[in-house]
Amino acid sequence: MAMAGAHRPGPLKQQNKAHKGGKHSGSSQRRAAGRVPVKAQPRRRLRDLSRVDRRHQALQLRRQSKEAVLAEKRSLGSRDGPPHLVVMVLLHSRAAAQDTPRLLQSQDSAVVRENEGRAGGFALLCPRLKQRWRFVTAQAGDLHTVLDLAKVADSLLFILDPVDGWDSAGEHCLSCLFAQGLPSYALAIPGGTDLPPKKRIDARKKLAKAIEKRFPEAKLFPLNTEQESSLLLRHLSTQKQRHLAFRDRRAHLLAYAAEFVPGQESDLVGTLKVSGFVRGQTLDVNSLVHIVGHGDFQVSQVDAPPDPLSLNPRVAKGQKRSQEMEIQEDPVNGTDEMEEDVKVLMKADPSKQESLQSEVVPDPMEGEQTWPTEEELQEAEDSLKANRRVVKVPKGTSKYQAAWIVDDGEEGSEKDDDEDDDIDDDLMEEAVSQEGESSEEEPGEEESETMTVSECLRDDQYDDKMEEDEQMLERYKQERMDEMFPDEVDTPRDVPARVRFQKYRGLKSFRTSPWDPKENLPRDYARIFQFQDFSRTRKHLFRQIEKEETEGASVGWYITLHVCNVPVSVMESFKEGKPLVLFSLLPHEQKMSVLNFLVRRHPSNTKPVRAKEELIFHCGFRRFRASPLFSQHTSADKHKLERFLRPDAALVVTVYAPITFPPASLLLFKQRSNGMHDLIATGSLLSVDPDRIVIKRLVLSGHPFKIFTKTAVVRYMFFNREDVMWFKPVELRTKWGRRGHIKEPLGTHGHMKCHFDGQLKSQDTVLLNLYKRVFPKWTYDPHVPEPVPWVRSESALPEQEVEME
């Protein structure tokens, strides 16, 4: 017997009201006491994933990252991507320079093509592996060539000596490459087969121990047979690519061929047609390009010539049908017989093209007061009549006093602001003029401190070696004195201190006392560009690069750039065998501003380096010369000037230079008298900030003459009564931590009575701190001379004892 189903109420069932339990309107309003309930915002509920879902999600993320890495490897050197650019760096003078290219060219079914533009380079095409390579050789002693090629190289192939590894020039080259940023690399050791087996094993152990410090977890590849060369190629193509941020965000190319077309006005300047493969990012024809070592230029058009390193070479031109099919299959090359195998991809738009203007042209008459003309006087009189008003004033009020009475409804802020701006401009001009006039009048030690370049680095003629040694000895003394007595100077006897130090001021606290960053700016600040918010502009640009697709030549295309107004010296250096490297500039990167670099002194440099000496900067893709300032790296709003490059702390280097968006590596070199470049510091770009305040400190010292309970008579700080009265408001301190102030002068020879917060010791020293803001000198020079090749020694590896069996 089937059970009857459960009873379900119908639509006419009685619906009783639910009991509200005191929630009716009257009681709820009384309890709320006038408060309005806040409406709860709907929150997105996070879905709790189960263990299986979490594992599946992690598996998907790993698979996506793995596919991205594989796609990057497959595109490099493939038909659609640029050829795999391998730079062979010879780290030893005895390294087998000829055996390595010969073994790499001996691959089965590989087509070898010699490069017309670069001596010693060749291309390797492997249709069976669907890979194409381009190899370029660089000597370790040719520093600029190695650094320029490493900026664009996909992989570096270090060629080592089987016994000594690398020599002193190779050690110097490795230090520079590590500081600039090292792409993917491999270590190859050709030769060594003529050594006895016992010595060969010992040399391999010694070399592996030395390499472990420089290249941890690196594998040594012997290179003596064709099989070993194929293993090396396979390793280069399958290893993970290391990214350099400053080149991945900019389009760049290494010239495969170049042609110079002289201009109509002069043969020294013309159009440079540079052909190469686009790398990094899409190249926009309207953006500027920077030729490394030569400057910034505009591009007029971009062509698409036939690919010289194509894995599927074209057939004869007579076969029209096959040629048409090839054009359809390969839209990148896009050639046509009627256009002589060259197709114009795009031309620059003058309305969208970036300007080459690097400096602001200041108006010398801006803010000047001129005598008004008759028309201006009449116009002012008419406006005064039109703006006359009737105001109730007390009896006996003059016209001048009545002019200051403002009605309740009147707003005169604009006029007041304009008057204040004019006063500020006049004060600024006066302060800047005093800065320029007094800089020549400062005598004594200050004069030697404000010199732009302390020694002539560009004049490479030093006949007397003893004179150079004496200069170096004097620098060692100055560095030692600055370490022992930081910032202390002697008060001059022939000039009053109030005149000598008139541009300095005292501060209650160096850390907390305010300092206006817009106060007393030099005239050079009228020539530079400044961001309202630099970090925000940088984030916006990088976000555009990552998300938005720009129109232009895509990565992997073989193109020809028509670079305008290029000097003929660029083509001459390319014919001599120097690499021609081009980088596209981001917006604003051609404009001048104040750049701050965070650097640390390189351990190999032991000579003193003083501020405002001329140094050579390798910043990202740029090279230039300038005389920088050194300052402390702190989180405060003021930073103390350092007179020397400290070996034990990180310092900030400030200089006028073109804007560059970080990250960008920095190498600082100093040129010797013989033309060699010494690496003195390495670091990175910190910020582009003209408002960073660098403060120079001077310390005047005095000695206690008579000591009482909390009072002392101090002498030797000043030498006349007027100076004591002038510096009376500045606070004193002692080397042992006491603080005080000047009470009154005693006599006429500079003795003064001082009061301190405790009793002084007789061996203590009284100090008075004075401060002045300093700015870098405009010594920017984009032309850097080629360094003399590094003098090689036999080996740079440390001597190590090898255990003998």
Side-chain angles (χ1 to χ4, degrees), residues 196-231:
K198 177 64 175 174
K199 289 187 176 180
R200 195 185 310 169
I201 295 174
D202 295 341
R204 178 62 61 87
K205 287 182 180 180
K206 178 183 176 183
L207 192 59
K209 189 173 292 187
I211 284 175
E212 188 178 356
K213 297 180 180 178
R214 271 286 190 183
F215 305 95
E217 301 179 2
K219 183 181 179 183
L220 289 173
F221 286 88
L223 198 61
N224 297 311
T225 62
E226 296 180 9
Q227 184 179 3
E228 290 174 344
S229 66
S230 62
L231 287 175

mmCIF file of all heavy atoms in Angstrom, residues 196-231:
data_model
loop_
_atom_site.group_PDB
_atom_site.id
_atom_site.type_symbol
_atom_site.label_atom_id
_atom_site.label_comp_id
_atom_site.label_asym_id
_atom_site.label_seq_id
_atom_site.Cartn_x
_atom_site.Cartn_y
_atom_site.Cartn_z
ATOM 1 N N PRO A 196 100.197 17.666 -21.618
ATOM 2 C CA PRO A 196 100.143 16.276 -21.133
ATOM 3 C C PRO A 196 98.865 16.040 -20.333
ATOM 4 O O PRO A 196 98.313 16.981 -19.758
ATOM 5 C CB PRO A 196 101.391 16.148 -20.248
ATOM 6 C CG PRO A 196 102.289 17.259 -20.681
ATOM 7 C CD PRO A 196 101.406 18.360 -21.150
ATOM 8 N N PRO A 197 98.383 14.805 -20.305
ATOM 9 C CA PRO A 197 97.117 14.542 -19.584
ATOM 10 C C PRO A 197 97.156 14.964 -18.126
ATOM 11 O O PRO A 197 96.170 15.475 -17.603
ATOM 12 C CB PRO A 197 96.945 13.026 -19.727
ATOM 13 C CG PRO A 197 97.733 12.668 -20.946
ATOM 14 C CD PRO A 197 98.888 13.601 -21.000
ATOM 15 N N LYS A 198 98.318 14.759 -17.450
ATOM 16 C CA LYS A 198 98.403 15.119 -16.040
ATOM 17 C C LYS A 198 98.251 16.632 -15.850
ATOM 18 O O LYS A 198 97.478 17.094 -15.009
ATOM 19 C CB LYS A 198 99.749 14.640 -15.491
ATOM 20 C CG LYS A 198 100.008 15.023 -14.048
ATOM 21 C CD LYS A 198 99.038 14.372 -13.104
ATOM 22 C CE LYS A 198 99.394 14.685 -11.663
ATOM 23 N NZ LYS A 198 98.380 14.169 -10.742
ATOM 24 N N LYS A 199 98.969 17.423 -16.647
ATOM 25 C CA LYS A 199 98.886 18.887 -16.527
ATOM 26 C C LYS A 199 97.514 19.397 -16.969
ATOM 27 O O LYS A 199 97.023 20.410 -16.466
ATOM 28 C CB LYS A 199 99.987 19.539 -17.359
ATOM 29 C CG LYS A 199 101.382 19.358 -16.782
ATOM 30 C CD LYS A 199 102.400 20.181 -17.555
ATOM 31 C CE LYS A 199 103.779 20.071 -16.911
ATOM 32 N NZ LYS A 199 104.795 20.869 -17.652
ATOM 33 N N ARG A 200 96.909 18.680 -17.918
ATOM 34 C CA ARG A 200 95.588 19.106 -18.385
ATOM 35 C C ARG A 200 94.560 18.986 -17.266
ATOM 36 O O ARG A 200 93.726 19.869 -17.065
ATOM 37 C CB ARG A 200 95.179 18.259 -19.584
ATOM 38 C CG ARG A 200 94.013 18.821 -20.379
ATOM 39 C CD ARG A 200 93.599 17.851 -21.464
ATOM 40 N NE ARG A 200 94.728 17.403 -22.256
ATOM 41 C CZ ARG A 200 94.694 16.398 -23.123
ATOM 42 N NH1 ARG A 200 93.574 15.719 -23.287
ATOM 43 N NH2 ARG A 200 95.770 16.063 -23.810
ATOM 44 N N ILE A 201 94.615 17.905 -16.485
ATOM 45 C CA ILE A 201 93.676 17.702 -15.375
ATOM 46 C C ILE A 201 93.918 18.730 -14.278
ATOM 47 O O ILE A 201 92.970 19.317 -13.719
ATOM 48 C CB ILE A 201 93.796 16.263 -14.833
ATOM 49 C CG1 ILE A 201 93.363 15.260 -15.904
ATOM 50 C CG2 ILE A 201 92.958 16.097 -13.572
ATOM 51 C CD1 ILE A 201 93.588 13.821 -15.506
ATOM 52 N N ASP A 202 95.192 18.983 -13.966
ATOM 53 C CA ASP A 202 95.504 19.969 -12.926
ATOM 54 C C ASP A 202 95.050 21.367 -13.339
ATOM 55 O O ASP A 202 94.509 22.135 -12.514
ATOM 56 C CB ASP A 202 97.010 19.972 -12.642
ATOM 57 C CG ASP A 202 97.481 18.647 -12.039
ATOM 58 O OD1 ASP A 202 96.609 17.912 -11.536
ATOM 59 O OD2 ASP A 202 98.690 18.377 -12.083
ATOM 60 N N ALA A 203 95.269 21.731 -14.599
ATOM 61 C CA ALA A 203 94.845 23.052 -15.075
ATOM 62 C C ALA A 203 93.330 23.176 -15.035
ATOM 63 O O ALA A 203 92.799 24.243 -14.695
ATOM 64 C CB ALA A 203 95.369 23.289 -16.490
ATOM 65 N N ARG A 204 92.617 22.089 -15.377
ATOM 66 C CA ARG A 204 91.161 22.128 -15.338
ATOM 67 C C ARG A 204 90.654 22.314 -13.898
ATOM 68 O O ARG A 204 89.696 23.077 -13.658
ATOM 69 C CB ARG A 204 90.601 20.841 -15.944
ATOM 70 C CG ARG A 204 89.085 20.742 -15.927
ATOM 71 C CD ARG A 204 88.456 21.844 -16.755
ATOM 72 N NE ARG A 204 88.853 21.771 -18.139
ATOM 73 C CZ ARG A 204 88.230 21.022 -19.064
ATOM 74 N NH1 ARG A 204 87.184 20.331 -18.727
ATOM 75 N NH2 ARG A 204 88.654 21.022 -20.298
ATOM 76 N N LYS A 205 91.290 21.670 -12.910
ATOM 77 C CA LYS A 205 90.883 21.842 -11.511
ATOM 78 C C LYS A 205 91.114 23.274 -11.045
ATOM 79 O O LYS A 205 90.256 23.875 -10.381
ATOM 80 C CB LYS A 205 91.670 20.872 -10.620
ATOM 81 C CG LYS A 205 91.232 19.423 -10.740
ATOM 82 C CD LYS A 205 92.032 18.559 -9.783
ATOM 83 C CE LYS A 205 91.613 17.092 -9.871
ATOM 84 N NZ LYS A 205 92.400 16.242 -8.942
ATOM 85 N N LYS A 206 92.278 23.811 -11.376
ATOM 86 C CA LYS A 206 92.593 25.173 -10.964
ATOM 87 C C LYS A 206 91.627 26.171 -11.602
ATOM 88 O O LYS A 206 91.132 27.101 -10.945
ATOM 89 C CB LYS A 206 94.028 25.501 -11.363
ATOM 90 C CG LYS A 206 94.458 26.917 -11.025
ATOM 91 C CD LYS A 206 95.869 27.186 -11.509
ATOM 92 C CE LYS A 206 96.262 28.640 -11.258
ATOM 93 N NZ LYS A 206 97.618 28.937 -11.784
ATOM 94 N N LEU A 207 91.318 25.961 -12.881
ATOM 95 C CA LEU A 207 90.414 26.861 -13.587
ATOM 96 C C LEU A 207 88.989 26.758 -13.025
ATOM 97 O O LEU A 207 88.289 27.768 -12.873
ATOM 98 C CB LEU A 207 90.437 26.545 -15.078
ATOM 99 C CG LEU A 207 89.777 27.554 -16.014
ATOM 100 C CD1 LEU A 207 90.429 28.910 -15.861
ATOM 101 C CD2 LEU A 207 89.875 27.077 -17.454
ATOM 102 N N ALA A 208 88.542 25.548 -12.723
ATOM 103 C CA ALA A 208 87.192 25.372 -12.180
ATOM 104 C C ALA A 208 87.051 26.033 -10.816
ATOM 105 O O ALA A 208 86.002 26.617 -10.499
ATOM 106 C CB ALA A 208 86.861 23.884 -12.081
ATOM 107 N N LYS A 209 88.122 25.987 -9.991
ATOM 108 C CA LYS A 209 88.049 26.622 -8.678
ATOM 109 C C LYS A 209 87.991 28.139 -8.795
ATOM 110 O O LYS A 209 87.293 28.813 -8.026
ATOM 111 C CB LYS A 209 89.260 26.191 -7.851
ATOM 112 C CG LYS A 209 89.188 26.613 -6.391
ATOM 113 C CD LYS A 209 90.335 26.024 -5.581
ATOM 114 C CE LYS A 209 90.201 24.521 -5.442
ATOM 115 N NZ LYS A 209 91.233 23.969 -4.523
ATOM 116 N N ALA A 210 88.725 28.708 -9.759
ATOM 117 C CA ALA A 210 88.695 30.164 -9.944
ATOM 118 C C ALA A 210 87.373 30.619 -10.550
ATOM 119 O O ALA A 210 86.844 31.683 -10.195
ATOM 120 C CB ALA A 210 89.860 30.594 -10.826
ATOM 121 N N ILE A 211 86.806 29.827 -11.443
ATOM 122 C CA ILE A 211 85.549 30.197 -12.099
ATOM 123 C C ILE A 211 84.382 30.125 -11.128
ATOM 124 O O ILE A 211 83.402 30.870 -11.246
ATOM 125 C CB ILE A 211 85.328 29.289 -13.329
ATOM 126 C CG1 ILE A 211 86.242 29.741 -14.454
ATOM 127 C CG2 ILE A 211 83.879 29.304 -13.796
ATOM 128 C CD1 ILE A 211 86.202 28.850 -15.662
ATOM 129 N N GLU A 212 84.500 29.245 -10.131
ATOM 130 C CA GLU A 212 83.400 29.081 -9.177
ATOM 131 C C GLU A 212 83.101 30.375 -8.422
ATOM 132 O O GLU A 212 81.958 30.642 -8.055
ATOM 133 C CB GLU A 212 83.753 27.968 -8.187
ATOM 134 C CG GLU A 212 82.604 27.576 -7.276
ATOM 135 C CD GLU A 212 82.970 26.436 -6.353
ATOM 136 O OE1 GLU A 212 84.099 25.901 -6.488
ATOM 137 O OE2 GLU A 212 82.145 26.077 -5.505
ATOM 138 N N LYS A 213 84.119 31.242 -8.223
ATOM 139 C CA LYS A 213 83.899 32.508 -7.527
ATOM 140 C C LYS A 213 83.234 33.530 -8.445
ATOM 141 O O LYS A 213 82.360 34.278 -8.030
ATOM 142 C CB LYS A 213 85.232 33.047 -7.015
ATOM 143 C CG LYS A 213 85.898 32.143 -5.993
ATOM 144 C CD LYS A 213 87.225 32.724 -5.526
ATOM 145 C CE LYS A 213 87.883 31.811 -4.492
ATOM 146 N NZ LYS A 213 89.194 32.343 -4.051
ATOM 147 N N ARG A 214 83.677 33.576 -9.704
ATOM 148 C CA ARG A 214 83.131 34.552 -10.649
ATOM 149 C C ARG A 214 81.782 34.102 -11.209
ATOM 150 O O ARG A 214 80.854 34.884 -11.334
ATOM 151 C CB ARG A 214 84.108 34.750 -11.813
ATOM 152 C CG ARG A 214 85.141 35.825 -11.591
ATOM 153 C CD ARG A 214 84.523 37.182 -11.711
ATOM 154 N NE ARG A 214 85.519 38.254 -11.744
ATOM 155 C CZ ARG A 214 85.210 39.517 -11.793
ATOM 156 N NH1 ARG A 214 83.944 39.897 -11.775
ATOM 157 N NH2 ARG A 214 86.145 40.446 -11.812
ATOM 158 N N PHE A 215 81.694 32.830 -11.593
ATOM 159 C CA PHE A 215 80.488 32.302 -12.232
ATOM 160 C C PHE A 215 80.005 31.083 -11.436
ATOM 161 O O PHE A 215 80.365 29.947 -11.762
ATOM 162 C CB PHE A 215 80.772 31.888 -13.676
ATOM 163 C CG PHE A 215 81.368 32.968 -14.527
ATOM 164 C CD1 PHE A 215 82.741 33.062 -14.695
ATOM 165 C CD2 PHE A 215 80.569 33.894 -15.154
ATOM 166 C CE1 PHE A 215 83.297 34.051 -15.476
ATOM 167 C CE2 PHE A 215 81.111 34.894 -15.943
ATOM 168 C CZ PHE A 215 82.487 34.969 -16.099
ATOM 169 N N PRO A 216 79.252 31.278 -10.380
ATOM 170 C CA PRO A 216 78.767 30.114 -9.623
ATOM 171 C C PRO A 216 77.811 29.283 -10.471
ATOM 172 O O PRO A 216 77.000 29.812 -11.234
ATOM 173 C CB PRO A 216 78.051 30.745 -8.417
ATOM 174 C CG PRO A 216 77.744 32.136 -8.844
ATOM 175 C CD PRO A 216 78.808 32.553 -9.810
ATOM 176 N N GLU A 217 77.937 27.982 -10.343
ATOM 177 C CA GLU A 217 77.099 27.010 -11.056
ATOM 178 C C GLU A 217 77.249 27.118 -12.576
ATOM 179 O O GLU A 217 76.344 26.760 -13.330
ATOM 180 C CB GLU A 217 75.623 27.174 -10.679
ATOM 181 C CG GLU A 217 75.355 26.988 -9.198
ATOM 182 C CD GLU A 217 73.884 27.173 -8.870
ATOM 183 O OE1 GLU A 217 73.100 27.410 -9.818
ATOM 184 O OE2 GLU A 217 73.518 27.075 -7.687
ATOM 185 N N ALA A 218 78.382 27.615 -13.046
ATOM 186 C CA ALA A 218 78.631 27.683 -14.489
ATOM 187 C C ALA A 218 79.330 26.407 -14.946
ATOM 188 O O ALA A 218 80.086 25.782 -14.187
ATOM 189 C CB ALA A 218 79.476 28.896 -14.836
ATOM 190 N N LYS A 219 79.091 26.032 -16.190
ATOM 191 C CA LYS A 219 79.649 24.810 -16.758
ATOM 192 C C LYS A 219 80.683 25.176 -17.812
ATOM 193 O O LYS A 219 80.470 26.077 -18.624
ATOM 194 C CB LYS A 219 78.533 23.961 -17.386
ATOM 195 C CG LYS A 219 79.018 22.636 -17.941
ATOM 196 C CD LYS A 219 77.864 21.863 -18.558
ATOM 197 C CE LYS A 219 78.363 20.544 -19.135
ATOM 198 N NZ LYS A 219 77.263 19.799 -19.803
ATOM 199 N N LEU A 220 81.809 24.496 -17.762
ATOM 200 C CA LEU A 220 82.875 24.716 -18.735
ATOM 201 C C LEU A 220 82.650 23.822 -19.950
ATOM 202 O O LEU A 220 82.389 22.615 -19.809
ATOM 203 C CB LEU A 220 84.242 24.419 -18.121
ATOM 204 C CG LEU A 220 84.747 25.426 -17.078
ATOM 205 C CD1 LEU A 220 86.024 24.920 -16.437
ATOM 206 C CD2 LEU A 220 84.992 26.764 -17.721
ATOM 207 N N PHE A 221 82.748 24.405 -21.134
ATOM 208 C CA PHE A 221 82.552 23.664 -22.372
ATOM 209 C C PHE A 221 83.881 23.591 -23.123
ATOM 210 O O PHE A 221 84.368 24.621 -23.620
ATOM 211 C CB PHE A 221 81.498 24.340 -23.261
ATOM 212 C CG PHE A 221 80.089 24.164 -22.776
ATOM 213 C CD1 PHE A 221 79.536 25.060 -21.883
ATOM 214 C CD2 PHE A 221 79.318 23.091 -23.207
ATOM 215 C CE1 PHE A 221 78.241 24.906 -21.430
ATOM 216 C CE2 PHE A 221 78.012 22.926 -22.754
ATOM 217 C CZ PHE A 221 77.477 23.829 -21.864
ATOM 218 N N PRO A 222 84.493 22.401 -23.201
ATOM 219 C CA PRO A 222 85.670 22.285 -24.074
ATOM 220 C C PRO A 222 85.253 22.438 -25.532
ATOM 221 O O PRO A 222 84.142 22.064 -25.918
ATOM 222 C CB PRO A 222 86.193 20.881 -23.772
ATOM 223 C CG PRO A 222 85.025 20.138 -23.232
ATOM 224 C CD PRO A 222 84.165 21.145 -22.530
ATOM 225 N N LEU A 223 86.128 22.997 -26.337
ATOM 226 C CA LEU A 223 85.782 23.311 -27.722
ATOM 227 C C LEU A 223 86.949 22.908 -28.613
ATOM 228 O O LEU A 223 87.786 23.738 -28.994
ATOM 229 C CB LEU A 223 85.465 24.809 -27.857
ATOM 230 C CG LEU A 223 84.690 25.245 -29.098
ATOM 231 C CD1 LEU A 223 83.335 24.568 -29.145
ATOM 232 C CD2 LEU A 223 84.502 26.747 -29.110
ATOM 233 N N ASN A 224 86.976 21.616 -28.932
ATOM 234 C CA ASN A 224 88.042 21.107 -29.781
ATOM 235 C C ASN A 224 87.536 20.288 -30.953
ATOM 236 O O ASN A 224 88.279 20.072 -31.908
ATOM 237 C CB ASN A 224 89.010 20.233 -28.946
ATOM 238 C CG ASN A 224 89.695 21.041 -27.851
ATOM 239 O OD1 ASN A 224 90.221 22.122 -28.112
ATOM 240 N ND2 ASN A 224 89.667 20.530 -26.631
ATOM 241 N N THR A 225 86.291 19.827 -30.914
ATOM 242 C CA THR A 225 85.750 18.993 -31.994
ATOM 243 C C THR A 225 84.412 19.571 -32.446
ATOM 244 O O THR A 225 83.830 20.442 -31.785
ATOM 245 C CB THR A 225 85.560 17.548 -31.515
ATOM 246 O OG1 THR A 225 84.613 17.517 -30.440
ATOM 247 C CG2 THR A 225 86.876 16.949 -31.045
ATOM 248 N N GLU A 226 83.918 19.052 -33.581
ATOM 249 C CA GLU A 226 82.625 19.489 -34.090
ATOM 250 C C GLU A 226 81.495 19.077 -33.157
ATOM 251 O O GLU A 226 80.511 19.804 -33.005
ATOM 252 C CB GLU A 226 82.394 18.907 -35.483
ATOM 253 C CG GLU A 226 83.380 19.386 -36.530
ATOM 254 C CD GLU A 226 83.094 18.777 -37.895
ATOM 255 O OE1 GLU A 226 82.031 18.133 -38.015
ATOM 256 O OE2 GLU A 226 83.904 18.959 -38.812
ATOM 257 N N GLN A 227 81.625 17.928 -32.537
ATOM 258 C CA GLN A 227 80.591 17.476 -31.615
ATOM 259 C C GLN A 227 80.491 18.404 -30.406
ATOM 260 O O GLN A 227 79.395 18.754 -29.952
ATOM 261 C CB GLN A 227 80.885 16.042 -31.165
ATOM 262 C CG GLN A 227 79.791 15.453 -30.266
ATOM 263 C CD GLN A 227 80.100 14.024 -29.860
ATOM 264 O OE1 GLN A 227 81.170 13.504 -30.211
ATOM 265 N NE2 GLN A 227 79.194 13.392 -29.155
ATOM 266 N N GLU A 228 81.638 18.850 -29.887
ATOM 267 C CA GLU A 228 81.620 19.768 -28.751
ATOM 268 C C GLU A 228 81.055 21.133 -29.144
ATOM 269 O O GLU A 228 80.371 21.793 -28.355
ATOM 270 C CB GLU A 228 83.037 19.920 -28.198
ATOM 271 C CG GLU A 228 83.555 18.659 -27.509
ATOM 272 C CD GLU A 228 85.002 18.776 -27.096
ATOM 273 O OE1 GLU A 228 85.697 19.685 -27.601
ATOM 274 O OE2 GLU A 228 85.450 17.950 -26.269
ATOM 275 N N SER A 229 81.318 21.566 -30.374
ATOM 276 C CA SER A 229 80.747 22.842 -30.812
ATOM 277 C C SER A 229 79.231 22.747 -30.954
ATOM 278 O O SER A 229 78.506 23.705 -30.646
ATOM 279 C CB SER A 229 81.380 23.271 -32.137
ATOM 280 O OG SER A 229 81.039 22.374 -33.171
ATOM 281 N N SER A 230 78.714 21.597 -31.433
ATOM 282 C CA SER A 230 77.257 21.442 -31.519
ATOM 283 C C SER A 230 76.618 21.405 -30.135
ATOM 284 O O SER A 230 75.514 21.933 -29.934
ATOM 285 C CB SER A 230 76.918 20.166 -32.296
ATOM 286 O OG SER A 230 77.421 19.024 -31.616
ATOM 287 N N LEU A 231 77.306 20.781 -29.138
ATOM 288 C CA LEU A 231 76.790 20.812 -27.767
ATOM 289 C C LEU A 231 76.743 22.232 -27.216
ATOM 290 O O LEU A 231 75.794 22.619 -26.506
ATOM 291 C CB LEU A 231 77.665 19.933 -26.865
ATOM 292 C CG LEU A 231 77.535 18.421 -27.036
ATOM 293 C CD1 LEU A 231 78.543 17.692 -26.168
ATOM 294 C CD2 LEU A 231 76.124 17.958 -26.700
#
